[in-house]
């Protein structure tokens, strides 16, 4: 008899969750959320809550000796801007490949950190957001082009923003693109590697966020960039990265997140056909005992933030999205800044179509 067919009459886990999931959810009271916390000064609450997030992110990667160093690996002219492939020493442990797009003309320009998605597709990272340079292998170029159609309606979001006057930065997250496995991408290995990273006392998802923060610091130091006008955006996991970055980095003045917002009570329950598949890409140990996703996103208040989700998105059911949006609006409203928070629920699946990209562009034109 195959292992998959062997079942016991008594069990403790069903689908991807423990059978006592409802009891676990009832015990999550999010005591550090704004409104739940005893702290009534918003600036002090944000400082304390942000530090709790950082604490749950475990040990950060050590900074590089002598500061961030960048070297240019390739460059090419495009219509209205220049594309560069660079490598940045973000940590004493590793250098990170990235793309940078710089508009023609006299800067400094507003800038956007464009954060790539997950998609269960690890072969490319930054190439999902910016058209690969000609120096890349033909398989990378072909793969990036193929990835565009289902999620981005055939348009590279980074190139679209650069063509409208923004410096654009996009880097590979750990496990994607040129930061992947020597044996090649394998979705099944992601969770195993994430678990092994925890054995070192570090967190793979946190390293992604730490790198996004450091990458934004590098972006702010570029001579072509106005360091007071930096935004971030992304779709799916890129959206999660965007609101996390806006919440934790003072460099970010405005953020746009497409198709990633929920509440834990909806995400981690048996209410829907789909249950959470592991979540290591957004797993920070112990943090749910203190703050829910919209509570963390609220650390960005009173910054300008745009959230777009789809009513046909099977990853984030409408009740969870609407609940999260209400909670965030409550926070922005409490600070007299509700006009700075824009939340949209569109009739679309899990995607970042052209109309969403256009709204993201208009949002950054207004706020940067």
């Amino acid at each position: 008899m195959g292992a998959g067919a062997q079942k016991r009459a008594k069990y403790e886990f069903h689908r991807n969750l423990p059978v006592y999931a409802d009891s676990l959810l009832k015990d999550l009271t999010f005591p550090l959320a704004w409104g739940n916390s005893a702290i009534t000064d918003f600036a002090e609450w944000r400082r304390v809550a942000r530090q709790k997030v950082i604490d749950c992110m475990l040990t950060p990667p050590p900074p590089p000796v002598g500061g961030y160093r960048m070297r240019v690996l390739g460059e090419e002219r495009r219509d209205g801007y220049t594309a560069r492939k660079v490598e940045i020493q973000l940590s004493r442990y590793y250098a990170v490949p990235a793309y940078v797009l710089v508009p023609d003309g006299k800067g400094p320009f507003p800038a956007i950190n464009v954060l790539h998605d997950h998609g269960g597709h690890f072969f490319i990272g930054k190439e999902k957001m910016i058209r690969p340079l000609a120096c890349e292998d033909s398989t990378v170029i072909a793969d990036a082009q193929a990835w565009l159609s289902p999620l981005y309606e055939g348009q590279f979001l980074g190139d679209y923003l650069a063509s409208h006057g923004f410096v654009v930065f996009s880097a590979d997250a750990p496990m994607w693109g040129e930061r992947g496995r020597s044996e090649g991408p394998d979705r099944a290995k992601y969770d195993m590697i994430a678990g092994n990273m925890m054995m070192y006392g570090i967190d793979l998802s946190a390293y992604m966020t730490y790198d996004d923060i450091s990458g934004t610091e590098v972006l702010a130091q570029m001579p072509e960039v106005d360091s007071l006008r930096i935004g971030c955006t992304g779709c799916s996991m890129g959206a999660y990265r965007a609101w996390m970055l806006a919440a934790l980095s003072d460099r970010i003045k405005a953020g746009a997140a497409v198709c990633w917002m929920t509440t834990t009570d909806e995400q981690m329950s048996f209410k829907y056909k789909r249950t959470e598949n592991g979540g290591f890409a957004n797993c920070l140990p112990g943090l749910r005992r203190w703050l829910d996703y919209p509570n963390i996103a609220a650390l960005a208040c009173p910054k300008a933030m745009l959230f777009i989700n789809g009513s046909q998105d099977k990853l984030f059911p409408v009740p969870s999205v609407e609940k999260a949006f209400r909670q965030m609006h409550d926070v922005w409203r409490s600070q007299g800044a509700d006009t700075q928070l824009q939340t949209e629920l569109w009739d679309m699946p899990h995607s970042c179509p052209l109309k969403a990209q256009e709204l993201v562009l208009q949002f950054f034109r207004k706020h940067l």
Side-chain angles (χ1 to χ4, degrees):
M1 180 182 291
Q6 293 179 306
K7 297 180 180 180
R8 300 292 296 268
K10 185 175 175 60
Y11 57 88
E12 196 165 323
F13 296 87
H14 174 58
R15 293 161 68 185
N16 297 334
L17 302 175
V19 294
Y20 45 87
D22 289 345
S23 296
L24 289 173
L25 291 172
K26 288 179 182 177
D27 287 340
L28 294 179
T29 59
F30 310 116
L32 200 49
W34 177 250
N36 293 345
S37 169
I39 303 173
T40 56
D41 179 80
F42 191 78
E44 176 63 9
W45 168 79
R46 187 168 51 201
R47 184 191 68 80
V48 172
R50 180 185 281 187
Q51 186 58 53
K52 178 57 70 175
V53 177
I54 296 295
D55 291 345
C56 291
M57 287 168 63
L58 306 182
T59 307
V65 177
Y68 304 121
R69 300 183 303 280
M70 179 191 299
R71 64 189 185 106
V72 177
L73 305 179
E75 182 173 296
E76 65 185 39
R77 289 282 306 123
R78 294 183 179 175
D79 188 13
Y81 56 97
T82 297
R84 297 177 187 139
K85 181 177 184 179
V86 301
E87 185 177 73
I88 306 165
Q89 194 71 39
L90 276 192
S91 165
R92 179 161 52 84
Y93 293 155
Y94 49 79
V96 174
Y99 287 155
V100 180
L101 306 179
V102 180
D104 295 345
K106 182 176 175 55
F109 303 98
I112 303 172
N113 192 343
V114 181
L115 306 148
H116 70 73
D117 60 72
H118 186 308
H121 187 67
F122 296 84
F123 183 63
I124 54 175
K126 60 190 177 298
E127 301 89 356
K128 296 178 178 183
M129 310 312 297
I130 292 176
R131 178 162 57 88
L133 275 68
C135 63
E136 300 290 4
D137 186 275
S138 60
T139 57
V140 171
I141 296 173
D143 194 68
Q145 195 62 48
W147 187 251
L148 279 188
S149 297
L151 205 58
Y152 300 98
E153 280 197 329
Q155 179 169 267
F156 287 101
L157 176 57
D159 291 79
Y160 175 64
L161 294 171
S163 69
H164 288 85
F166 293 91
V167 171
V168 173
F169 175 89
S170 189
D172 289 335
M175 283 292 290
W176 274 268
E178 295 175 275
R179 303 183 70 186
R181 298 168 65 246
S182 63
E183 302 88 347
D186 182 347
R187 172 64 184 88
K189 298 296 184 183
Y190 184 89
D191 296 348
M192 185 181 297
I193 290 173
N196 284 342
M197 295 286 273
M198 288 184 184
M199 298 294 284
Y200 296 110
I202 60 179
D203 181 79
L204 186 60
S205 173
Y207 262 44
M208 177 173 68
T209 299
Y210 280 128
D211 287 350
D212 290 342
I213 295 170
S214 297
T216 303
E217 288 297 320
V218 172
L219 182 59
Q221 294 171 17
M222 293 181 185
E224 302 93 343
V225 170
D226 180 345
S227 63
L228 298 180
R229 293 189 293 159
I230 298 178
C232 60
T233 189
C235 173
S236 191
M237 183 184 78
Y240 165 85
R241 295 168 68 188
W243 57 254
M244 280 290 289
L245 179 57
L248 299 179
S249 172
D250 291 332
R251 288 289 191 186
I252 297 297
K253 303 306 177 186
V258 182
C259 286
W260 208 117
M261 183 44 68
T262 187
T263 55
T264 299
D265 62 343
E266 302 285 340
Q267 178 196 42
M268 302 297 291
S269 74
F270 293 112
K271 293 181 182 179
Y272 308 102
K273 291 182 179 179
R274 183 188 187 277
T275 54
E276 177 57 48
N277 289 333
F280 272 113
N282 57 79
C283 177
L284 302 179
L287 186 54
R288 286 295 82 73
R289 291 287 164 178
W290 299 97
L291 296 157
D292 202 357
Y293 298 113
N295 309 147
I296 300 167
L299 290 169
C301 178
K303 296 176 185 178
M305 294 292 294
L306 167 66
F307 291 84
I308 306 172
N309 270 70
S311 61
Q312 307 305 315
D313 188 337
K314 296 179 181 179
L315 275 65
F316 302 106
V318 169
S320 74
V321 176
E322 291 179 332
K323 188 180 298 184
F325 284 177
R326 286 196 300 271
Q327 291 179 15
M328 289 190 293
H329 275 289
D330 285 345
V331 178
W332 263 261
R333 192 177 301 114
S334 76
Q335 301 308 303
D338 199 40
T339 57
Q340 292 290 92
L341 177 62
Q342 183 177 353
T343 55
E344 304 277 344
L345 187 60
W346 293 356
D347 182 14
M348 69 179 195
H350 191 75
S351 63
C352 185
L354 296 181
K355 65 176 184 178
Q357 296 181 48
E358 182 180 0
L359 182 57
V360 168
L361 171 63
Q362 297 306 322
F363 172 81
F364 283 127
R365 277 181 161 172
K366 177 180 179 180
H367 294 289
L368 295 181

